[in-house]
Amino acid sequence: MVGVDGVPEPHTGWTFLTSHARVLASIADNHNVRVRDIAARCRLTERAVQKIISDLEQDGYLSHTRHGRTNRYSIDPSKVLRHPAEAGLKVASLLSMLARDEAERQTALGAPAPTVDGN
């Protein structure tokens, strides 16, 4: 549901994907995405997104370079997911699954599907 100001209302209750996975997927869809846009898409505050990006960078899943006033993010697809139950599963596999699902949802809605590399 979208609020009056066009920003999605926050979600309450548990979900299957973590906020970290959602932020990483948003960056995978667009490597130049703004924190504000990630926050809106993931239904998080900008401060929460900044903290998640910091976590992902600190552990080597993500890096960024400044281009003028914007950031260009780079994801390390070879990094292995952190939970022991996902031993051996790499970031690339997770993002591929999420991109396929997003492409199917967009096709069903008649919108153009995002590419895996975000371009």
Side-chain angles (χ1 to χ4, degrees), residues 19-37:
S19 295
H20 283 66
R22 283 192 183 85
V23 167
L24 196 62
S26 291
I27 292 170
D29 285 344
N30 178 357
H31 292 278
N32 297 312
V33 68
R34 298 179 309 171
V35 168
R36 173 180 298 165
D37 297 330

PDB file of all heavy atoms in Angstrom, residues 19-37:
ATOM      1  N   SER A  19      16.026  -7.513   5.415  1.00  0.00           N
ATOM      2  CA  SER A  19      16.221  -6.179   4.848  1.00  0.00           C
ATOM      3  C   SER A  19      17.547  -6.115   4.094  1.00  0.00           C
ATOM      4  O   SER A  19      17.652  -5.443   3.069  1.00  0.00           O
ATOM      5  CB  SER A  19      16.191  -5.125   5.960  1.00  0.00           C
ATOM      6  OG  SER A  19      14.912  -5.082   6.545  1.00  0.00           O
ATOM      7  N   HIS A  20      18.568  -6.821   4.578  1.00  0.00           N
ATOM      8  CA  HIS A  20      19.858  -6.842   3.891  1.00  0.00           C
ATOM      9  C   HIS A  20      19.706  -7.436   2.485  1.00  0.00           C
ATOM     10  O   HIS A  20      20.269  -6.914   1.526  1.00  0.00           O
ATOM     11  CB  HIS A  20      20.888  -7.638   4.694  1.00  0.00           C
ATOM     12  CG  HIS A  20      21.433  -6.894   5.874  1.00  0.00           C
ATOM     13  ND1 HIS A  20      20.656  -6.547   6.949  1.00  0.00           N
ATOM     14  CD2 HIS A  20      22.681  -6.435   6.140  1.00  0.00           C
ATOM     15  CE1 HIS A  20      21.405  -5.903   7.838  1.00  0.00           C
ATOM     16  NE2 HIS A  20      22.633  -5.812   7.361  1.00  0.00           N
ATOM     17  N   ALA A  21      18.935  -8.501   2.363  1.00  0.00           N
ATOM     18  CA  ALA A  21      18.722  -9.120   1.046  1.00  0.00           C
ATOM     19  C   ALA A  21      17.953  -8.181   0.133  1.00  0.00           C
ATOM     20  O   ALA A  21      18.264  -8.062  -1.053  1.00  0.00           O
ATOM     21  CB  ALA A  21      17.981 -10.451   1.195  1.00  0.00           C
ATOM     22  N   ARG A  22      16.965  -7.491   0.669  1.00  0.00           N
ATOM     23  CA  ARG A  22      16.181  -6.562  -0.142  1.00  0.00           C
ATOM     24  C   ARG A  22      17.039  -5.397  -0.649  1.00  0.00           C
ATOM     25  O   ARG A  22      16.936  -4.996  -1.803  1.00  0.00           O
ATOM     26  CB  ARG A  22      15.008  -6.012   0.660  1.00  0.00           C
ATOM     27  CG  ARG A  22      13.877  -6.971   0.790  1.00  0.00           C
ATOM     28  CD  ARG A  22      12.646  -6.260   1.348  1.00  0.00           C
ATOM     29  NE  ARG A  22      11.602  -7.228   1.520  1.00  0.00           N
ATOM     30  CZ  ARG A  22      11.468  -7.984   2.594  1.00  0.00           C
ATOM     31  NH1 ARG A  22      12.294  -7.867   3.591  1.00  0.00           N
ATOM     32  NH2 ARG A  22      10.494  -8.866   2.664  1.00  0.00           N
ATOM     33  N   VAL A  23      17.876  -4.852   0.238  1.00  0.00           N
ATOM     34  CA  VAL A  23      18.746  -3.741  -0.155  1.00  0.00           C
ATOM     35  C   VAL A  23      19.730  -4.213  -1.219  1.00  0.00           C
ATOM     36  O   VAL A  23      19.936  -3.546  -2.237  1.00  0.00           O
ATOM     37  CB  VAL A  23      19.479  -3.149   1.069  1.00  0.00           C
ATOM     38  CG1 VAL A  23      20.608  -2.209   0.641  1.00  0.00           C
ATOM     39  CG2 VAL A  23      18.487  -2.428   1.971  1.00  0.00           C
ATOM     40  N   LEU A  24      20.324  -5.374  -1.028  1.00  0.00           N
ATOM     41  CA  LEU A  24      21.272  -5.908  -2.006  1.00  0.00           C
ATOM     42  C   LEU A  24      20.589  -6.141  -3.351  1.00  0.00           C
ATOM     43  O   LEU A  24      21.143  -5.819  -4.405  1.00  0.00           O
ATOM     44  CB  LEU A  24      21.894  -7.207  -1.484  1.00  0.00           C
ATOM     45  CG  LEU A  24      23.150  -7.678  -2.197  1.00  0.00           C
ATOM     46  CD1 LEU A  24      24.274  -6.663  -2.063  1.00  0.00           C
ATOM     47  CD2 LEU A  24      23.587  -9.018  -1.646  1.00  0.00           C
ATOM     48  N   ALA A  25      19.365  -6.645  -3.335  1.00  0.00           N
ATOM     49  CA  ALA A  25      18.619  -6.868  -4.580  1.00  0.00           C
ATOM     50  C   ALA A  25      18.306  -5.543  -5.269  1.00  0.00           C
ATOM     51  O   ALA A  25      18.368  -5.452  -6.497  1.00  0.00           O
ATOM     52  CB  ALA A  25      17.336  -7.644  -4.293  1.00  0.00           C
ATOM     53  N   SER A  26      17.988  -4.516  -4.510  1.00  0.00           N
ATOM     54  CA  SER A  26      17.720  -3.197  -5.093  1.00  0.00           C
ATOM     55  C   SER A  26      18.963  -2.648  -5.777  1.00  0.00           C
ATOM     56  O   SER A  26      18.892  -2.085  -6.870  1.00  0.00           O
ATOM     57  CB  SER A  26      17.267  -2.209  -4.016  1.00  0.00           C
ATOM     58  OG  SER A  26      15.995  -2.545  -3.539  1.00  0.00           O
ATOM     59  N   ILE A  27      20.105  -2.838  -5.141  1.00  0.00           N
ATOM     60  CA  ILE A  27      21.358  -2.372  -5.728  1.00  0.00           C
ATOM     61  C   ILE A  27      21.708  -3.199  -6.954  1.00  0.00           C
ATOM     62  O   ILE A  27      22.198  -2.668  -7.952  1.00  0.00           O
ATOM     63  CB  ILE A  27      22.488  -2.394  -4.672  1.00  0.00           C
ATOM     64  CG1 ILE A  27      22.206  -1.318  -3.610  1.00  0.00           C
ATOM     65  CG2 ILE A  27      23.851  -2.198  -5.318  1.00  0.00           C
ATOM     66  CD1 ILE A  27      23.096  -1.384  -2.393  1.00  0.00           C
ATOM     67  N   ALA A  28      21.415  -4.484  -6.921  1.00  0.00           N
ATOM     68  CA  ALA A  28      21.681  -5.334  -8.086  1.00  0.00           C
ATOM     69  C   ALA A  28      20.836  -4.897  -9.278  1.00  0.00           C
ATOM     70  O   ALA A  28      21.291  -4.979 -10.422  1.00  0.00           O
ATOM     71  CB  ALA A  28      21.408  -6.800  -7.748  1.00  0.00           C
ATOM     72  N   ASP A  29      19.636  -4.413  -9.030  1.00  0.00           N
ATOM     73  CA  ASP A  29      18.754  -3.936 -10.101  1.00  0.00           C
ATOM     74  C   ASP A  29      19.249  -2.629 -10.713  1.00  0.00           C
ATOM     75  O   ASP A  29      18.995  -2.348 -11.877  1.00  0.00           O
ATOM     76  CB  ASP A  29      17.324  -3.736  -9.596  1.00  0.00           C
ATOM     77  CG  ASP A  29      16.582  -5.037  -9.395  1.00  0.00           C
ATOM     78  OD1 ASP A  29      17.043  -6.069  -9.914  1.00  0.00           O
ATOM     79  OD2 ASP A  29      15.543  -5.011  -8.718  1.00  0.00           O
ATOM     80  N   ASN A  30      19.931  -1.804  -9.903  1.00  0.00           N
ATOM     81  CA  ASN A  30      20.422  -0.508 -10.384  1.00  0.00           C
ATOM     82  C   ASN A  30      21.636  -0.121  -9.552  1.00  0.00           C
ATOM     83  O   ASN A  30      21.486   0.287  -8.404  1.00  0.00           O
ATOM     84  CB  ASN A  30      19.325   0.554 -10.263  1.00  0.00           C
ATOM     85  CG  ASN A  30      19.789   1.928 -10.690  1.00  0.00           C
ATOM     86  OD1 ASN A  30      20.949   2.133 -11.037  1.00  0.00           O
ATOM     87  ND2 ASN A  30      18.877   2.880 -10.648  1.00  0.00           N
ATOM     88  N   HIS A  31      22.820  -0.235 -10.134  1.00  0.00           N
ATOM     89  CA  HIS A  31      24.062   0.025  -9.408  1.00  0.00           C
ATOM     90  C   HIS A  31      24.268   1.500  -9.071  1.00  0.00           C
ATOM     91  O   HIS A  31      25.167   1.840  -8.320  1.00  0.00           O
ATOM     92  CB  HIS A  31      25.258  -0.511 -10.193  1.00  0.00           C
ATOM     93  CG  HIS A  31      25.270  -2.001 -10.269  1.00  0.00           C
ATOM     94  ND1 HIS A  31      25.754  -2.793  -9.252  1.00  0.00           N
ATOM     95  CD2 HIS A  31      24.827  -2.851 -11.222  1.00  0.00           C
ATOM     96  CE1 HIS A  31      25.624  -4.064  -9.579  1.00  0.00           C
ATOM     97  NE2 HIS A  31      25.062  -4.131 -10.772  1.00  0.00           N
ATOM     98  N   ASN A  32      23.442   2.375  -9.608  1.00  0.00           N
ATOM     99  CA  ASN A  32      23.520   3.807  -9.316  1.00  0.00           C
ATOM    100  C   ASN A  32      22.353   4.293  -8.466  1.00  0.00           C
ATOM    101  O   ASN A  32      22.116   5.484  -8.356  1.00  0.00           O
ATOM    102  CB  ASN A  32      23.545   4.621 -10.627  1.00  0.00           C
ATOM    103  CG  ASN A  32      24.759   4.311 -11.450  1.00  0.00           C
ATOM    104  OD1 ASN A  32      25.878   4.294 -10.955  1.00  0.00           O
ATOM    105  ND2 ASN A  32      24.548   4.030 -12.722  1.00  0.00           N
ATOM    106  N   VAL A  33      21.618   3.386  -7.884  1.00  0.00           N
ATOM    107  CA  VAL A  33      20.405   3.726  -7.144  1.00  0.00           C
ATOM    108  C   VAL A  33      20.729   4.619  -5.940  1.00  0.00           C
ATOM    109  O   VAL A  33      21.785   4.492  -5.322  1.00  0.00           O
ATOM    110  CB  VAL A  33      19.660   2.441  -6.704  1.00  0.00           C
ATOM    111  CG1 VAL A  33      20.438   1.662  -5.662  1.00  0.00           C
ATOM    112  CG2 VAL A  33      18.255   2.744  -6.235  1.00  0.00           C
ATOM    113  N   ARG A  34      19.804   5.528  -5.649  1.00  0.00           N
ATOM    114  CA  ARG A  34      19.966   6.411  -4.492  1.00  0.00           C
ATOM    115  C   ARG A  34      19.429   5.730  -3.236  1.00  0.00           C
ATOM    116  O   ARG A  34      18.487   4.939  -3.299  1.00  0.00           O
ATOM    117  CB  ARG A  34      19.203   7.714  -4.705  1.00  0.00           C
ATOM    118  CG  ARG A  34      19.695   8.522  -5.885  1.00  0.00           C
ATOM    119  CD  ARG A  34      18.900   9.785  -6.068  1.00  0.00           C
ATOM    120  NE  ARG A  34      17.466   9.510  -6.083  1.00  0.00           N
ATOM    121  CZ  ARG A  34      16.526  10.430  -6.050  1.00  0.00           C
ATOM    122  NH1 ARG A  34      16.846  11.702  -5.995  1.00  0.00           N
ATOM    123  NH2 ARG A  34      15.244  10.099  -6.073  1.00  0.00           N
ATOM    124  N   VAL A  35      20.018   6.089  -2.090  1.00  0.00           N
ATOM    125  CA  VAL A  35      19.570   5.551  -0.800  1.00  0.00           C
ATOM    126  C   VAL A  35      18.082   5.833  -0.615  1.00  0.00           C
ATOM    127  O   VAL A  35      17.333   4.966  -0.156  1.00  0.00           O
ATOM    128  CB  VAL A  35      20.413   6.135   0.356  1.00  0.00           C
ATOM    129  CG1 VAL A  35      19.789   5.822   1.703  1.00  0.00           C
ATOM    130  CG2 VAL A  35      21.840   5.603   0.289  1.00  0.00           C
ATOM    131  N   ARG A  36      17.631   6.997  -1.011  1.00  0.00           N
ATOM    132  CA  ARG A  36      16.218   7.370  -0.890  1.00  0.00           C
ATOM    133  C   ARG A  36      15.326   6.389  -1.652  1.00  0.00           C
ATOM    134  O   ARG A  36      14.268   5.985  -1.183  1.00  0.00           O
ATOM    135  CB  ARG A  36      16.019   8.782  -1.432  1.00  0.00           C
ATOM    136  CG  ARG A  36      14.573   9.209  -1.501  1.00  0.00           C
ATOM    137  CD  ARG A  36      14.455  10.604  -2.035  1.00  0.00           C
ATOM    138  NE  ARG A  36      15.157  11.498  -1.109  1.00  0.00           N
ATOM    139  CZ  ARG A  36      15.505  12.738  -1.395  1.00  0.00           C
ATOM    140  NH1 ARG A  36      15.231  13.256  -2.554  1.00  0.00           N
ATOM    141  NH2 ARG A  36      16.119  13.470  -0.498  1.00  0.00           N
ATOM    142  N   ASP A  37      15.765   6.008  -2.850  1.00  0.00           N
ATOM    143  CA  ASP A  37      14.961   5.095  -3.664  1.00  0.00           C
ATOM    144  C   ASP A  37      14.986   3.668  -3.109  1.00  0.00           C
ATOM    145  O   ASP A  37      13.977   2.965  -3.171  1.00  0.00           O
ATOM    146  CB  ASP A  37      15.447   5.119  -5.112  1.00  0.00           C
ATOM    147  CG  ASP A  37      15.264   6.488  -5.749  1.00  0.00           C
ATOM    148  OD1 ASP A  37      14.314   7.214  -5.353  1.00  0.00           O
ATOM    149  OD2 ASP A  37      16.078   6.849  -6.623  1.00  0.00           O
TER     150      ASP A  37
END
